[in-house]
Amino acid sequence: MASKSPKRNLKMEPWQDPKAKPYIRLENVSKEFDGVVAMSNLSLSIYQGEFFSILGGSGCGKTTLLRMLAGFEAPTSGKIFIDGMDMSHIPPYERPVNMMFQSYALFPHMTVEQNVAFGLKQEKLSRKEIKERLENGLELVQMSGYKKRMPHQLSGGQRQRVALARSLVKQPKLLLLDEPLASLDKKLKERTQLELVTIQERVGITFIMVSHDQEESMTMSTRLGVMEEGQIRQVGTPHEIYEFPNSRFVADFIGSINLFEGIVVEDTPDSTLVQSEDLSHVLRVSHSATVPPGAQVTVGVRPEKIKISRTPILAKEDLAENMAQGIVHDIEYLGDVSIYHVDLRNGKRILATMPNLVRLTEQPVTWDDKVYLYWQSENGIILTT
Ligand code: ATP
């Protein structure tokens, strides 16, 4: 993962505090559309001030979840609470919620200031109040100098910021963002991600963002929920989700990972040995598998945790654990790192990432080289589901 993570100022992680009350609570929420199950028995707690991302593949139910929070769809069963209040009979316009859609949907015939003030006029606020909120909103997203511009005279990033100001001036307690940065190019996206987090921290509003871009979710969120087929498979901080995935699905969905199928041959409280047909050497993982010997498990190892070398890394290679030998089939040069695709004799392919620490005209390890791969037992993770 190459993106920078913004420094977060949450004084305490409320989800760690058993006394903290969630701001949003979904209790066994299910949603069916004409027999299609879009969400199945989903329970989730989100705390005030969080930047929570819902991450998942196409059709897994992310937008349905947002639309139910906003009140555009009603759950088929289960309950949604916002700030302790049951939302079952609360229409969208009475919820303390604003939704920012994928397409910014700025009115093309209105200037920036008319766009931002539109919702406030509808609320019939006083002129003074509208002016104040408009000035503050535009300043927050650094668009004060663009009041008289029309949407077509703005860049994609600027339009996105105007749309954000338009949502924020309504002073919602909860802002729902549906793929807000989807149409921005990579550089602008990265800059806008950091801006969005800074603004969110400054206004202190709870944000829930839907995305299928894992890097974006990892960079911006306090926590994220990984969804599959209408269910949340894991909720955690970006670090927890990446380093301690709870299933093959989550491990595979977030970042890339090498997966080795095997059988547990020994399990102690702080170490597990796994024999895999994929590898000639045994795998050691520095945590318990919590399943009996003989059980089928998968061991996951992230590519950046694997060392690659043309010479044996350990003196006594035949005693080694967590190692493999293969031939470099391909190299992906990404500038900051290179990803090596190494084929073992049995055809299994392993990915290993190496940082390009010095500038070289040639790769230190190159195509068709015979290489040794090695990783430490702390870097393996046992997945039982
Ligand atoms: P994407 O990333 O592609 O936008 P998503 O995760 O947001 O996907 P949803 O839009 O929530 O997915 O859809 C979840 C499931 O519910 C899909 O199978 C979809 O076809 C179905 N669905 C959503 N809305 C409706 C509807 N109004 N009528 C019928 N089926 C629907």
Side-chain angles (χ1 to χ4, degrees):
M1 301 259 142
S3 338
K4 273 189 281 178
S5 285
K7 189 170 160 235
R8 283 264 168 208
N9 294 323
L10 275 191
K11 283 192 193 70
M12 188 180 155
E13 297 180 331
W15 52 92
Q16 307 271 30
D17 177 3
K19 282 190 242 141
K21 281 215 170 75
Y23 185 63
I24 292 140
R25 202 150 49 86
L26 285 92
E27 278 182 7
N28 307 108
V29 172
S30 297
K31 177 71 186 170
E32 278 186 29
F33 294 102
D34 307 323
V36 176
V37 179
M39 189 153 299
S40 162
N41 212 23
L42 186 143
S43 294
L44 178 66
S45 293
I46 297 174
Y47 295 84
Q48 197 150 27
E50 270 206 81
F51 196 131
F52 193 95
S53 288
I54 313 276
L55 185 63
S58 185
C60 72
K62 305 182 293 295
T63 304
T64 302
L65 177 54
L66 278 201
R67 289 176 59 79
M68 285 197 288
L69 284 166
F72 301 136
E73 299 285 354
T76 309
S77 63
K79 280 196 187 310
I80 296 175
F81 297 87
I82 299 180
D83 205 7
M85 203 170 154
D86 184 351
M87 290 288 123
S88 304
H89 303 291
I90 310 288
Y93 54 88
E94 281 180 17
R95 297 189 182 200
V97 176
N98 203 316
M99 186 149 167
M100 200 173 125
F101 292 95
Q102 201 172 98
S103 58
Y104 326 119
L106 295 181
F107 300 115
H109 58 286
M110 287 187 190
T111 61
V112 165
E113 65 180 345
Q114 287 167 338
N115 262 288
V116 176
F118 183 79
L120 303 178
K121 285 188 181 150
Q122 275 194 321
E123 275 187 54
K124 305 222 180 334
L125 297 179
S126 71
R127 275 179 166 225
K128 183 167 167 279
E129 174 85 22
I130 292 177
K131 189 164 183 305
E132 253 175 46
R133 287 206 204 176
L134 177 71
E135 299 290 343
N136 290 341
L138 288 176
E139 198 184 309
L140 196 62
V141 298
Q142 295 172 357
M143 289 296 290
S144 302
Y146 297 80
K147 278 184 213 160
K148 302 289 174 208
R149 293 256 189 115
M150 304 301 283
H152 75 269
Q153 295 171 313
L154 301 174
S155 72
Q158 289 167 338
R159 280 201 290 269
Q160 193 272 343
R161 272 149 54 191
V162 175
L164 181 63
R166 196 174 57 173
S167 295
L168 292 175
V169 292
K170 302 259 290 174
Q171 301 183 339
K173 296 223 173 77
L174 169 64
L175 185 62
L176 306 173
L177 304 108
D178 192 356
E179 307 257 5
L181 311 179
S183 55
L184 304 185
D185 69 45
K186 191 172 184 300
K187 261 253 141 41
L188 185 58
K189 207 177 197 182
E190 283 174 7
R191 216 180 62 214
T192 316
Q193 285 168 0
L194 296 178
E195 279 174 10
L196 206 53
V197 170
T198 309
I199 292 170
Q200 185 259 343
E201 291 207 322
R202 208 176 310 154
V203 293
I205 295 173
T206 309
F207 276 28
I208 302 182
M209 179 177 82
V210 149
S211 177
H212 62 254
D213 179 334
Q214 42 163 297
E215 263 195 50
E216 182 170 293
S217 301
M218 301 280 284
T219 309
M220 298 172 79
S221 318
T222 49
R223 288 188 307 156
L224 46 108
V226 183
M227 274 190 85
E228 186 198 17
E229 292 176 357
Q231 296 190 330
I232 295 254
R233 298 293 178 204
Q234 187 173 2
V235 172
T237 63
H239 178 257
E240 283 164 355
I241 298 270
Y242 188 76
E243 299 291 353
F244 307 100
N246 66 359
S247 62
R248 276 187 70 130
F249 171 78
V250 174
D252 214 14
F253 189 76
I254 306 283
S256 58
I257 192 159
N258 297 289
L259 296 172
F260 305 100
E261 307 293 339
I263 302 283
V264 173
V265 289
E266 188 187 302
D267 186 21
T268 66
D270 52 16
S271 168
T272 308
L273 283 181
V274 175
Q275 192 73 58
S276 168
E277 282 189 3
D278 292 335
L279 299 169
S280 47
H281 294 76
V282 73
L283 285 145
R284 184 183 290 278
V285 178
S286 65
H287 65 90
S288 167
T290 60
V291 288
Q296 181 93 35
V297 292
T298 304
V299 176
V301 188
R302 299 274 183 205
E304 73 277 11
K305 309 283 201 281
I306 297 182
K307 289 200 175 78
I308 179 167
S309 165
R310 277 194 298 210
T311 51
I313 296 164
L314 299 175
K316 288 191 177 167
E317 197 195 304
D318 53 334
L319 293 180
E321 298 162 342
N322 299 336
M323 72 153 289
Q325 242 180 303
I327 304 284
V328 176
H329 172 82
D330 215 348
I331 305 171
E332 280 177 76
Y333 177 73
L334 301 179
D336 50 351
V337 295
S338 292
I339 305 170
Y340 291 81
H341 296 232
V342 177
D343 286 349
L344 309 189
R345 206 176 292 157
N346 60 9
K348 170 91 180 165
R349 180 161 296 170
I350 298 185
L351 301 187
T353 307
M354 253 210 309
N356 294 317
L357 298 175
V358 288
R359 190 160 55 154
L360 294 170
T361 46
E362 280 179 32
Q363 300 274 346
V365 175
T366 190
W367 281 266
D368 299 326
D369 275 355
K370 185 176 161 194
V371 289
Y372 296 84
L373 302 169
Y374 169 74
W375 58 95
Q376 292 181 327
S377 56
E378 294 78 30
N379 290 326
I381 177 145
I382 293 193
L383 303 163
T384 52
T385 53

